[in-house]
Amino acid sequence: MAGNSAKIEAGGGTHDYAVLDGSVGPQVIDIRKLYADTGMFTYDPGFTSTASCDSGLTYIDGDQGILLHRGYPIDQLAEQSSFMEVAYLLLNGELPDKATLDSFVTTISRHTMVHEQLTTFYRGFRRDAHPMAIMCGVVGALSAFYHDSTDINDPLQRKIASHRLIAKMPTLAAMAYKYSVGQPFVYPRNDLSYTANFLRMTFSVPAEEYIPDPVIVDAMDKIFILHADHEQNASTSTVRLAGSSGANPFACIAAGIACLWGPAHGGANEAALNMLREIGTVDKIPEYIARAKNKDDPFRLMGFGHRVYKNYDPRATVMQKTAKDVLEKLGVKDPIFDVAKELEQIALNDPYFIEKKLYPNVDFYSGVILSAIGFPTDMFTVLFALARTVGWVAQWNEMISDPAQKIGRPRQLYTGPTQRDYVPVDKR
Ligand code: ACO
């Protein structure tokens, strides 16, 4: 690499490619002309060395354990901001003044109700359906209800669709929960904060009033902030790829939800808590550490390791403290929390985890908190989807507004049969 260009020797020649600077972080080699110049593609399954877009939303330094949204460190946002303010920041690039924030909150609260006919969709699901299965369906179905905000070329419609998605996700998520426990749906109340309203829609019943506990509201709001965005992760890239074809925003977010469901991604918080429950007591930890290190055993420590963080996930630090606060406030003495803390200490001092730079990620402690608040395990990923909708929507808007945007179309290294002639079935 010389100066601000890189030379690549390939296809019988040497070619210069511009090296692009971000505002911070690694430079990237602009290889867009590589195929035209050399007749070769690059090969990077899992995109470990490939920047798929440029973006001004979120910056991660995985080696240092840094996460910034529009430049602001995640710990400062989690401690001092609110989920609605972070949503505004991600969507618009700057922190709002008081009047602008109030107006944004009012706008979001005016979109919290969902079309009454959507309730009939829920009744089509089995009561034991996984709530993520329900969310994939009902969020995709929003595009059938809100035709006036599906024209992606109209900035106003894009804005309305973004507000609708952020506002309706708590309502849809709470309905998924209510359906699974056989309780009536609870309509939103717009005098409550975004997070308090969600907790009320989830946990209140018509038989008695539900007053959200401020400590739980604060913890939940922090959890939402910690999950709001995480640059080009699998589900966000899915939303961008779906959106690159011009699909409507509701369909794109449904695609993101489907991707998030997997245990290597959003499903990890559910898997982490199940694992902690399975371990059960501190004395069983060595057995599970040994399994995680055994190459012949597919078992992994869930909530450990990250594609980008090769240091402590900064979100896990806030999450551990929040877990302590919530358990103290609720007076819960959950042995799972002790197992989690001990497991973390043992793993952090084990050469296998040190060498591979495996640290707790955001999911390691979130399950402990969500379980203490009263959420069943299969709702955990739904809560992640609710919060991440902000990031998905902001990233989708950034992509659509970019004049250089084109349909995402990766290439491949073909390893199948070469051309051969069809043989009729009676001759095979
Ligand atoms: N437990 C034990 N070993 C692990 C773990 C783990 N949790 N994670 C990675 N390793 C090992 C792998 O076996 C591999 O070892 P090897 O080099 O000897 O083959 C090495 O560390 C590298 O692992 P990869 O899977 O290649 O790393 P990758 O970056 O592709 O995976 C991932 C990252 C998927 C998050 C992985 O660490 C994992 O499966 N963790 C558990 C699931 C989890 O917590 N996911 C949540 C991610 S955060 C989020 O989505 C919000």
Side-chain angles (χ1 to χ4, degrees):
M1 204 180 287
N4 57 356
S5 76
K7 286 195 193 311
I8 297 181
E9 246 182 78
T14 303
H15 307 275
D16 274 325
Y17 296 96
V19 172
L20 309 178
D21 290 311
S23 44
V24 59
Q27 297 176 305
V28 303
I29 306 172
D30 181 352
I31 53 153
R32 279 177 286 185
K33 295 216 159 49
L34 183 82
Y35 177 58
D37 290 345
T38 65
M40 289 182 184
F41 299 136
T42 54
Y43 180 65
D44 187 18
F47 302 107
T48 52
S49 297
T50 299
S52 60
C53 61
D54 48 54
S55 175
L57 268 80
T58 293
Y59 173 71
I60 303 173
D61 181 332
D63 294 323
Q64 301 295 322
I66 290 171
L67 168 60
L68 311 175
H69 291 319
R70 303 283 193 186
Y72 297 103
I74 189 66
D75 52 321
Q76 290 182 21
L77 293 173
E79 293 299 339
Q80 299 172 48
S81 183
S82 67
F83 182 59
M84 277 296 93
E85 191 175 54
V86 172
Y88 183 92
L89 174 70
L90 283 165
L91 284 169
N92 300 290
E94 294 298 334
L95 286 169
D97 60 22
K98 171 90 175 69
T100 311
L101 179 60
D102 289 349
S103 151
F104 179 70
V105 169
T106 304
T107 304
I108 296 296
S109 66
R110 292 279 150 75
H111 284 293
T112 48
M113 283 173 67
V114 294
H115 195 290
E116 195 62 17
Q117 220 170 320
L118 251 173
T119 57
T120 56
F121 274 61
Y122 284 80
R123 300 194 205 292
F125 285 98
R126 287 169 51 135
R127 290 272 174 193
D128 62 356
H130 195 290
M132 283 298 273
I134 298 181
M135 294 304 283
C136 288
V138 294
V139 173
L142 291 176
S143 44
F145 286 88
Y146 300 103
H147 295 144
D148 58 344
S149 57
T150 52
D151 179 357
I152 62 153
N153 298 313
D154 177 347
L156 181 62
Q157 290 202 29
R158 291 208 299 270
K159 193 170 173 181
I160 294 171
S162 305
H163 292 161
R164 279 181 168 151
L165 275 157
I166 293 168
K168 292 182 199 308
M169 280 299 279
T171 315
L172 296 173
M175 286 167 76
Y177 171 70
K178 285 299 193 199
Y179 187 73
S180 71
V181 289
Q183 292 179 358
F185 297 142
V186 176
Y187 288 109
R189 258 198 29 205
N190 294 348
D191 58 322
L192 294 175
S193 73
Y194 184 89
T195 303
N197 178 45
F198 169 65
L199 287 168
R200 184 179 169 277
M201 286 190 292
T202 306
F203 293 121
S204 77
V205 288
E208 56 188 69
E209 191 41 55
Y210 171 87
I211 299 168
D213 180 328
V215 173
I216 307 301
V217 174
D218 184 55
M220 204 65 229
D221 208 67
K222 277 198 178 66
I223 292 178
F224 287 160
I225 293 173
L226 295 175
H227 287 90
D229 190 49
H230 212 226
E231 53 119 306
Q232 308 311 318
N233 57 85
S235 57
T236 301
S237 299
T238 301
V239 170
R240 278 188 179 255
L241 195 56
S244 77
S245 73
N248 77 69
F250 304 106
C252 295
I253 302 305
I257 293 171
C259 177
L260 188 75
W261 193 357
H265 190 9
N269 53 13
E270 184 175 341
L273 190 76
N274 288 338
M275 178 195 73
L276 292 174
R277 287 215 175 104
E278 193 184 308
I279 298 175
T281 47
V282 168
D283 58 303
K284 293 260 194 56
I285 293 173
E287 183 192 317
Y288 283 83
I289 295 269
R291 284 188 61 195
K293 288 156 60 174
N294 182 354
K295 280 241 159 282
D296 300 325
D297 189 332
F299 175 78
R300 282 185 171 202
L301 275 194
M302 298 314 286
F304 255 78
H306 197 275
R307 169 60 62 77
V308 180
Y309 292 117
K310 301 302 167 196
N311 199 326
Y312 215 100
D313 179 340
R315 301 168 300 172
T317 320
V318 184
M319 208 58 103
Q320 191 204 41
K321 185 177 171 295
T322 309
K324 190 169 160 286
D325 293 349
V326 168
L327 297 189
E328 262 170 31
K329 164 70 192 179
L330 295 176
V332 174
K333 183 80 194 76
D334 191 341
I336 299 292
F337 189 48
D338 298 330
V339 172
K341 281 191 299 188
E342 188 62 21
L343 181 63
E344 177 186 346
Q345 280 319 309
I346 294 178
L348 288 178
N349 290 300
D350 188 296
Y352 173 92
F353 292 89
I354 295 170
E355 267 163 38
K356 294 188 189 304
K357 300 190 175 162
L358 298 169
Y359 292 85
N361 60 47
V362 66
D363 293 321
F364 192 64
Y365 284 105
S366 61
V368 176
I369 310 174
L370 297 174
S371 168
I373 293 176
F375 288 102
T377 328
D378 60 6
M379 274 298 286
F380 293 1
T381 318
V382 173
L383 303 174
F384 191 160
L386 187 168
R388 185 55 59 85
T389 295
V390 162
W392 289 334
V393 160
Q395 300 261 359
W396 173 82
N397 273 295
E398 184 182 58
M399 180 191 71
I400 301 288
S401 324
D402 179 355
Q405 186 268 325
K406 44 165 76 177
I407 187 167
R409 177 56 171 93
R411 304 307 295 259
Q412 63 172 8
L413 174 66
Y414 179 68
T415 57
T418 53
Q419 185 169 333
R420 49 185 170 165
D421 289 325
Y422 177 79
V423 181
V425 70
D426 56 336
K427 303 245 166 59
R428 279 174 231 159

